[in-house]
Amino acid sequence: MKELILDIVSDVSCPWCIIGYKALEQALNNLSSEIDATITWQPFELNPHMPPEGQEITEHITQKYGISIEQAAENREAIVQRGLSVGYEFGERRGGGMIYNTFDAHRLLHWAEELGREKQMGLKLALFDLYFKENGNPSDFEQLLTVVDKVGLDVAEANAILHSDKFTAEVRKQQQHYQAAGISSVPAVIVNNKHLISGGQPTEIFEKALKQIANEV
């Protein structure tokens, strides 16, 4: 059994991040007799300058990438189908919605990691669901606290964190670390702090890459 350390740099409002994770999860399940992986989620903001009120997503995508409304709709449908192929249904966000600032969600994820990687994993996946399945707002404190409660974390402690600047410096430091390492798009799966698997790859690509890395360990 080879042990691999996986850092997944991602944002909770990134559809390819949950698609990539679900494909990675399938690959790890397929390799469960060969590889034991430890996963930590690392912060990345797709839209660090997004104002508190957010922006309509089609408007945002067409402005950011210089594509048409029709192209944005086609891209969104392709994402929905890729999600279904790895067992993730995008639900309410299928037709668009809003995009928001996610920094406070990353502060809570940093806190959850300190409590244990399983706690962080539970919170991360629930935050994906908040945004993609429930059409929720990951910058809204009340919605964040509802998710915290749902996954069994301390709501009072989370509330105190949100109403302070706790973990702000730590999250910024991690963001800067990965930016300095050349990470400019997500998901980015970093294996053993050395190997990069970039993007929402299919299961078989993750499987092949992980086997190759494990054989080198």
Side-chain angles (χ1 to χ4, degrees), residues 9 174-184 188 190 193-194 196:
V9 187
Q174 284 299 90
Q175 289 177 321
Q176 290 162 8
H177 168 77
Y178 289 106
Q179 287 168 359
I183 304 299
S184 59
I190 301 167
N193 205 32
K194 180 180 179 182
L196 172 65

Side-chain angles (χ1 to χ4, degrees), residues 8-15 17 41-52 60 64-65 99-107 109 124 138-139 167-176 178-179 183-188:
I8 308 178
V9 187
S10 87
D11 199 354
V12 299
S13 61
C14 165
C17 291
W41 293 93
Q42 302 293 354
F44 186 96
E45 288 179 90
L46 290 171
N47 306 286
H49 305 298
M50 183 63 64
H60 174 75
K64 185 173 182 178
Y65 298 107
I99 191 142
Y100 300 98
N101 186 288
T102 57
F103 186 75
D104 288 317
H106 288 298
R107 290 200 296 135
L109 286 163
K124 180 74 175 191
S139 69
F167 302 125
T168 293
E170 291 87 344
V171 172
R172 294 286 186 221
K173 183 178 179 180
Q174 284 299 90
Q175 289 177 321
Q176 290 162 8
Y178 289 106
Q179 287 168 359
I183 304 299
S184 59
S185 63
V186 289

Side-chain angles (χ1 to χ4, degrees), residues 12-81:
V12 299
S13 61
C14 165
W16 287 106
C17 291
I18 183 59
I19 289 170
Y21 171 71
K22 297 301 286 185
L24 172 65
E25 183 181 48
Q26 289 179 351
L28 289 171
N29 285 338
N30 293 343
L31 297 170
S32 60
S33 62
E34 304 170 48
I35 293 172
D36 181 29
T38 300
I39 296 175
T40 305
W41 293 93
Q42 302 293 354
F44 186 96
E45 288 179 90
L46 290 171
N47 306 286
H49 305 298
M50 183 63 64
E53 66 271 16
Q55 184 181 14
E56 198 280 321
I57 195 162
T58 300
E59 177 185 78
H60 174 75
I61 293 296
T62 54
Q63 288 177 359
K64 185 173 182 178
Y65 298 107
I67 61 176
S68 68
I69 292 174
E70 291 75 21
Q71 286 172 313
E74 289 172 7
N75 290 348
R76 190 159 55 239
E77 185 57 31
I79 285 169
V80 167
Q81 295 307 316

Side-chain angles (χ1 to χ4, degrees), residues 57-189:
I57 195 162
T58 300
E59 177 185 78
H60 174 75
I61 293 296
T62 54
Q63 288 177 359
K64 185 173 182 178
Y65 298 107
I67 61 176
S68 68
I69 292 174
E70 291 75 21
Q71 286 172 313
E74 289 172 7
N75 290 348
R76 190 159 55 239
E77 185 57 31
I79 285 169
V80 167
Q81 295 307 316
R82 273 295 298 277
L84 291 173
S85 76
V86 291
Y88 193 83
E89 187 173 348
F90 279 94
E92 290 297 322
R93 193 148 298 268
R94 183 184 184 117
M98 301 287 289
I99 191 142
Y100 300 98
N101 186 288
T102 57
F103 186 75
D104 288 317
H106 288 298
R107 290 200 296 135
L108 290 182
L109 286 163
H110 187 93
W111 164 62
E113 183 199 346
E114 292 193 346
L115 302 176
R117 289 189 179 89
E118 288 185 4
K119 301 286 190 184
Q120 189 196 40
M121 178 65 77
L123 180 60
K124 180 74 175 191
L125 295 180
L127 287 169
F128 278 133
D129 285 353
L130 170 70
Y131 185 65
F132 291 116
K133 290 183 181 288
E134 300 164 25
N135 210 22
N137 177 357
S139 69
D140 180 83
F141 285 8
E142 288 305 313
Q143 293 182 46
L144 288 173
L145 292 174
T146 297
V147 173
V148 164
D149 187 45
K150 187 184 296 183
V151 298
L153 295 175
D154 190 312
V155 174
E157 187 173 355
N159 187 51
I161 291 166
L162 290 173
H163 286 89
S164 72
D165 64 354
K166 194 169 185 181
F167 302 125
T168 293
E170 291 87 344
V171 172
R172 294 286 186 221
K173 183 178 179 180
Q174 284 299 90
Q175 289 177 321
Q176 290 162 8
H177 168 77
Y178 289 106
Q179 287 168 359
I183 304 299
S184 59
S185 63
V186 289
V189 180

